[in-house]
Amino acid sequence: EVQLAESGGGLVQPGGSLRLSCAASGFIFSDYWMHWVRQIPGKGLVWVSRIDTDGSTTTYADSVRGRFTISRDNAKNTLYLQMNSLRAEDTAVYYCARGAWGSAVFFDPWGQGTLVNVSS
Amino acid sequence: QSALTQPASVSGSPGQSITISCSGSGSDIGTYKHVSWYQQHPDKAPKLLIYEIDKRPSGVSNRFSASKSDNTASLTISGLQAEDEADYYCCSYASSAAFVLFGGGTKLTVL
């Protein structure tokens, strides 16, 4: 069964840092692009970042570019999101999601999410 | 980079059909086939329902169907069931954004 499991969320002060992890299982992790998507509680989904299969290509939403870094360790089947200079508006549930094969664009499956709360 | 536009809520009775619209522009839905739809139950992760405009992943009920016309995508749920009560999100590749845009979400209430 294909599974994604996020961890690393928690309470952090504004200006602080946090690293999220996403453990993948049930598929060949190194074959897929991976993504982070966030959701402010009670609000909609917002795409955050993506990384290609070997980690050489990354893309970020304008709102996090320069503060967040996506990376992966294919040997450990794990995706990461390093979040620096955190702001109150970064408070959200962060989901990791597997990207589509080939040229298609969709996210399947998603992890259960991890809550990041940026507050003093 | 505005989100795609969805109605905030829709409702229907069991057995009925409902349609959720998702309005974009020529730089996203109007040009690309990369439109997908997701279902999210409260406190759960989103689940893929439709990809590439109208394709259903294996395991998704054929009560879910979708289409696209000009700058608007639509999701139709037929034979409404209580378990369909959830939030629904559209998503499209967008050349005006870093990658994709999501809709603001539509809450479906089964009366």
Side-chain angles (χ1 to χ4, degrees), chain B residues 68 78 84 91 93 102 106 108:
Chain B
K68 185 187 87 161
S78 59
D84 298 332
C91 177
Y93 174 81
F102 282 95
T106 299
L108 168 63

Side-chain angles (χ1 to χ4, degrees), chain A:
Chain A
E1 180 186 5
V2 176
Q3 287 190 323
L4 299 170
E6 302 92 338
S7 61
L11 176 64
V12 59
Q13 292 188 338
S17 298
L18 211 56
R19 188 176 85 155
L20 306 183
S21 299
C22 170
S25 61
F27 66 100
I28 302 174
F29 181 68
S30 57
D31 280 354
Y32 289 86
W33 287 65
M34 296 296 295
H35 302 260
W36 288 99
V37 179
R38 69 184 181 184
Q39 183 174 36
I40 297 171
K43 302 297 184 182
L45 301 167
V46 178
W47 177 84
V48 173
S49 182
R50 67 173 175 170
I51 187 168
D52 72 346
T53 56
D54 65 3
S56 61
T57 299
T58 59
T59 312
Y60 300 92
D62 289 348
S63 57
V64 307
R65 189 176 297 118
R67 300 187 299 122
F68 290 13
T69 301
I70 189 173
S71 62
R72 66 192 296 162
D73 185 334
N74 286 343
K76 295 183 178 179
N77 290 339
T78 303
L79 174 72
Y80 303 100
L81 186 67
Q82 177 67 43
M83 304 185 295
N84 298 331
S85 303
L86 282 162
R87 307 166 180 167
E89 55 264 37
D90 295 319
T91 294
V93 174
Y94 284 73
Y95 295 100
C96 65
R98 189 179 69 174
W101 59 83
S103 62
V105 176
F106 57 84
F107 310 106
D108 181 54
W110 300 56
Q112 84 286 353
T114 187
L115 176 63
V116 172
N117 186 0
V118 184
S119 174
S120 54

